[in-house]
Amino acid sequence: MTTTWAQRRKERIDDLAGGRSLTSEAMRRLRRDPVAIVGAVIVGLFVVIAVFAPLLAPHGAAESFPELQADLRPGNIPGAQEGFPLGGDQLGRDFLSRMILASQQTLLVGVLATLIGLAIGIVIGTLAGAFGGWIDTVLMRVTDVLLAIPSLLLAISVAALAASPSQTTVIIAVAIVGVPIFARLLRGSMLSQRNSDHVVAATALGVKRPAVVLRHMLPNAIGPVIVQATLTLATAILDAAALSFLGLGDADPGRAEWGLMLAQAQTYLDVRPALAFYPAFAIIVVALGFTLLGESLREALDPKGRR
Amino acid sequence: MTAPRPTPTAEPLLQVRDLRVAFRRRGEPDTLAVDGVSFDVAPGQVVGLVGESGCGKSVTSMAIMRLLPRRGVQITGSVKMDGEELLTLSEAKMRERRGRDLSMVFQDPLSSLNPVVPIGLQITEVLRRHRGMDKEKARQAAVDLLDRVGIPDPRRRVTAYPHQLSGGMRQRVMIAIALACRPRLLIADEPTTALDVTIQAQILELLKEMVAETGAALIMITHDLGVVAGLCETVNVLYGGRIVERAQRHRLFGTPRHPYTHGLLRSIPRLDAAAGEQLEAIPGSVVDNLPWAHACAFQPRCPRSVDRCVEVTPEAENTGGRLLRCFNPVPASAE
């Protein structure tokens, strides 16, 4: 991780030559930040496992195996054995396969929920920040109300409103939790853009209002929102797991999900605590990975941190 | 697009009459930033607006461009371009004119350029908006424009971001953008203040050239009389939101009549001054101003003030092509 003096000097010269865009500058700083590297490795591993889960998992999520079921009786759940490195669960299914396949659900729910929340938040934040006036007042009071409710409570309320719990209701519930955060953040940075010199300059050139907003304000305002999205991914994963844990998640027993696995493991804590440990550990590590990456991304993109 | 340069006797291109800009705040009296400013700009003419910080020069330009926020600002008077009133124009029509008929160069070129958009795109945006060019044609025009304002290797520079250019280059880009659609009026609001001295001279030279080439009229806003001296035909000296003196450049510099103008000129170092001679400063600052309503705003700082200065508002009087607002002007001995 140590860069030699000569290397650093060369980079300095490159800098002065002015060949760096904002993004490549940020990338350069990310590469030097050990926290960012740890975060990126965790997130990278998680994404690879999740994407290739069906190929990596030795067995299906709903498959039961006679050799695991054989030892299954009250007070005993079989541990690791030949072909099943993490042992089986209370129904004789391969626990390793379920752990791997669950990562896919987690990624899917986390990313989709964040993207949906981000999209809605960007629309609200842009409208409020760019136009101000009563549009701003109405939109911001609504987000205030949403922000006032603790996020998990809000997600539970939304998920509970649905007729039957499903993966879709989890995604929607978690997405709604993210909306007010994104909207507020974007509105704030849009406001600071509104009277910035280059926006006035663009207006002075007769650029149309929508173009001023979309080309000159939004791209300059969106940075902190993108950073927030990586941080929100972590909370989205936690919230989704929490909903499943509380029984408001995916009702399909064939699909593995860390939150649900954790909930089911509760019953067998004294029998085989590992069943609770693995999913809990996975949730924590993945959430930590996204948080580390998000935090260092924020630092890397902060123009004040620039040397 | 190359209209013949109109004769000086033609209708003024821009006619500003009794322009007043008041900033209003609840529970406080209005602040009059511009207090009855009138001047004309003939086609192709270079006019200077000179004054210290807070005299209303930038607010005047923003009012002409209609860039001041609507809330909390009251603008009265009249700004006519080609006889058409700009102050009452609809926002959509004003947008049509901005950039096409009248355009502006700002003080700080770094913050006035969009940091996340390559400079080429910022030029083509205006060309496509006002001249309906297609992408390829606009790109070619942008390269030509960058070449004309003296950016080396323009073909490669169109993809550069503002932070990759030097201060002088950025201001050249700003000028290229402002003049892209060949506006007939360019307002330059302290275009050289953020640049160092050698670059200042280059940028002024460029402005002069470009204005002559495109036939645009120029309103040069500055606190630097040196900038005015090399560029402007007519000079308006602003103080406290009003024009206190206006004359042709040579007459103003040769025989300043208003004590304020006189003081400004005395405060500049001169090459022909005797060695060891002290520069004179104008005492006080704008916060000492009296209200124009029943006095001369400059009185508290004026070395030539008489009793009337605190009782009656001096009116602007036009004598022999010079506009002067003073009861006790500096004698025109040298004239």
Side-chain angles (χ1 to χ4, degrees):
Chain A
M1 231 5 68
T2 49
T3 45
T4 66
W5 182 82
Q7 264 176 311
R8 213 171 296 166
R9 201 177 80 106
K10 196 191 157 295
E11 283 178 13
R12 222 25 238 143
I13 291 168
D14 285 347
D15 260 5
L16 293 174
R20 269 179 209 288
S21 72
L22 289 145
T23 36
S24 71
E25 165 79 23
M27 280 307 294
R28 185 176 66 104
R29 282 203 273 162
L30 275 185
R31 276 201 303 273
R32 286 193 183 165
D33 182 358
V35 175
I37 290 165
V38 172
V41 167
I42 294 174
V43 170
L45 260 176
F46 167 66
V47 170
V48 168
I49 291 174
V51 168
F52 297 105
L55 301 175
L56 292 171
H59 308 288
E63 250 179 289
S64 295
F65 294 90
E67 52 267 57
L68 290 172
Q69 282 173 321
D71 288 338
L72 214 55
R73 57 184 179 272
N76 187 37
I77 293 175
Q81 52 178 277
E82 182 74 43
F84 305 100
L86 294 186
D89 70 356
Q90 71 283 358
L91 293 178
R93 297 174 292 194
D94 177 33
F95 204 67
L96 177 66
S97 300
R98 284 181 63 77
M99 282 297 295
I100 293 174
L101 289 165
S103 67
Q104 196 166 39
Q105 297 306 310
T106 304
L107 183 70
L108 185 75
V109 172
V111 169
L112 272 184
T114 305
L115 284 182
I116 293 171
L118 187 64
I120 301 174
I122 285 177
V123 172
I124 294 177
T126 305
L127 288 175
F131 296 103
W134 65 267
I135 301 178
D136 184 24
T137 311
V138 170
L139 289 174
M140 281 308 110
R141 288 304 80 78
V142 174
T143 48
D144 279 348
V145 170
L146 288 180
L147 271 178
I149 306 168
S151 65
L152 191 56
L153 198 62
L154 181 62
I156 292 171
S157 323
V158 176
L161 280 178
S164 63
S166 70
Q167 197 173 35
T168 318
T169 58
V170 174
I171 292 174
I172 292 171
V174 176
I176 288 177
V177 170
V179 168
I181 302 164
F182 292 128
R184 265 231 167 254
L185 198 60
L186 185 59
R187 170 187 177 265
S189 62
M190 286 293 273
L191 281 185
S192 69
Q193 286 294 316
R194 202 153 72 168
N195 292 322
S196 73
D197 286 351
H198 71 266
V199 170
V200 175
T203 313
L205 289 165
V207 178
K208 284 182 182 162
R209 189 81 192 144
V212 171
V213 171
L214 295 179
R215 195 173 307 153
H216 294 273
M217 289 169 73
L218 191 57
N220 282 294
I222 200 112
V225 181
I226 299 302
V227 171
Q228 181 61 44
T230 52
L231 294 171
T232 301
L233 251 171
T235 41
I237 287 168
L238 289 177
D239 284 350
L243 286 181
S244 311
F245 181 83
L246 294 171
L248 292 165
D250 197 348
D252 181 355
R255 270 202 286 244
E257 211 284 328
W258 288 339
L260 186 65
M261 287 158 80
L262 190 58
Q264 289 164 348
Q266 275 186 118
T267 327
Y268 310 101
L269 264 183
D270 53 342
V271 182
R272 222 166 88 77
L275 289 186
F277 172 77
Y278 290 125
F281 186 70
I283 293 169
I284 291 169
V285 168
V286 169
L288 182 72
F290 277 108
T291 307
L292 292 180
L293 190 63
E295 284 293 347
S296 42
L297 196 62
R298 171 159 67 197
E299 265 167 43
L301 286 172
D302 183 1
K304 281 185 213 110
R306 224 158 241 266
R307 283 148 302 185
Chain B
M1 286 312 274
T2 45
R5 217 175 160 82
T7 51
T9 50
E11 272 279 288
L13 174 69
L14 186 81
Q15 200 175 37
V16 179
R17 285 290 171 275
D18 202 27
L19 182 68
R20 276 165 215 274
V21 181
F23 293 102
R24 335 193 68 170
R25 285 168 73 186
R26 211 177 301 157
E28 276 178 52
D30 293 357
T31 309
L32 268 172
V34 179
D35 191 4
V37 164
S38 304
F39 64 92
D40 287 347
V41 182
Q45 196 187 19
V46 180
V47 173
L49 283 184
V50 191
E52 66 195 298
S53 300
C55 73
K57 46 192 199 303
S58 290
V59 176
T60 303
S61 66
M62 298 288 268
I64 293 171
M65 293 293 290
R66 293 241 327 251
L67 289 174
L68 293 167
R70 253 168 301 173
R71 273 208 287 183
V73 181
Q74 190 184 45
I75 304 175
T76 54
S78 149
V79 176
K80 283 184 178 159
M81 191 170 182
D82 309 315
E84 189 180 10
E85 180 61 56
L86 294 185
L87 292 184
T88 53
L89 218 56
S90 75
E91 189 53 38
K93 280 198 174 138
M94 191 64 208
R95 265 178 210 287
E96 271 313 309
R97 293 201 136 213
R98 283 189 204 123
R100 195 191 64 195
D101 291 340
L102 69 169
S103 184
M104 199 161 170
V105 175
F106 292 88
Q107 180 173 337
D108 183 355
L110 179 58
S111 60
S112 302
L113 288 166
N114 187 338
V116 301
V117 175
I119 55 168
L121 217 76
Q122 302 190 46
I123 305 179
T124 53
E125 177 176 39
V126 195
L127 289 168
R128 297 180 68 184
R129 157 88 168 103
H130 290 301
R131 291 177 62 182
M133 288 187 179
D134 61 47
K135 220 171 185 164
E136 192 36 49
K137 235 175 133 187
R139 205 193 68 87
Q140 189 50 48
V143 172
D144 291 346
L145 272 164
L146 287 179
D147 192 36
R148 280 239 305 279
V149 296
I151 303 260
D153 200 2
R155 206 163 286 282
R156 218 164 56 95
R157 291 287 177 204
V158 284
T159 56
Y161 288 87
H163 72 276
Q164 296 171 328
L165 303 177
S166 68
M169 291 236 259
R170 282 178 208 141
Q171 197 57 295
R172 285 171 192 269
V173 172
M174 281 301 290
I175 292 171
I177 295 175
L179 291 175
C181 296
R182 293 187 164 256
R184 282 169 304 147
L185 176 68
L186 178 67
I187 302 177
D189 189 354
E190 309 230 17
T192 59
T193 311
L195 307 172
D196 79 46
V197 184
T198 47
I199 308 298
Q200 276 189 11
Q202 290 176 16
I203 292 296
L204 286 177
E205 196 53 43
L206 175 69
L207 260 180
K208 211 161 150 182
E209 255 172 55
M210 293 300 288
V211 166
E213 193 181 318
T214 60
L218 175 67
I219 299 178
M220 185 76 193
I221 292 173
T222 178
H223 63 263
D224 185 348
L225 282 166
V227 167
V228 171
L231 201 65
C232 304
E233 294 151 37
T234 306
V235 184
N236 294 287
V237 181
L238 256 78
Y239 190 82
R242 292 196 184 192
I243 292 175
V244 292
E245 186 167 10
R246 162 167 56 229
Q248 295 301 305
R249 169 183 34 167
H250 293 295
R251 293 188 66 199
L252 190 93
F253 280 86
T255 57
R257 298 292 312 278
H258 197 282
Y260 180 59
T261 320
H262 188 76
L264 282 181
L265 286 168
R266 295 291 294 270
S267 66
I268 302 175
R270 301 175 69 106
L271 274 179
D272 55 359
E277 193 181 308
Q278 289 260 319
L279 285 177
E280 279 178 37
I282 303 173
S285 73
V286 275
V287 293
D288 301 321
N289 284 1
L290 293 177
W292 277 112
H294 48 77
C296 172
F298 187 57
Q299 188 276 336
R301 304 173 65 188
C302 184
R304 296 183 60 83
S305 73
V306 293
D307 292 347
R308 276 169 79 199
C309 297
V310 289
E311 288 154 11
V312 195
T313 308
E315 291 306 322
E317 274 162 41
N318 201 336
T319 44
R322 180 199 294 267
L323 193 79
L324 188 60
R325 189 190 288 278
C326 187
F327 291 128
N328 186 22
V330 179
S333 50
E335 201 166 18

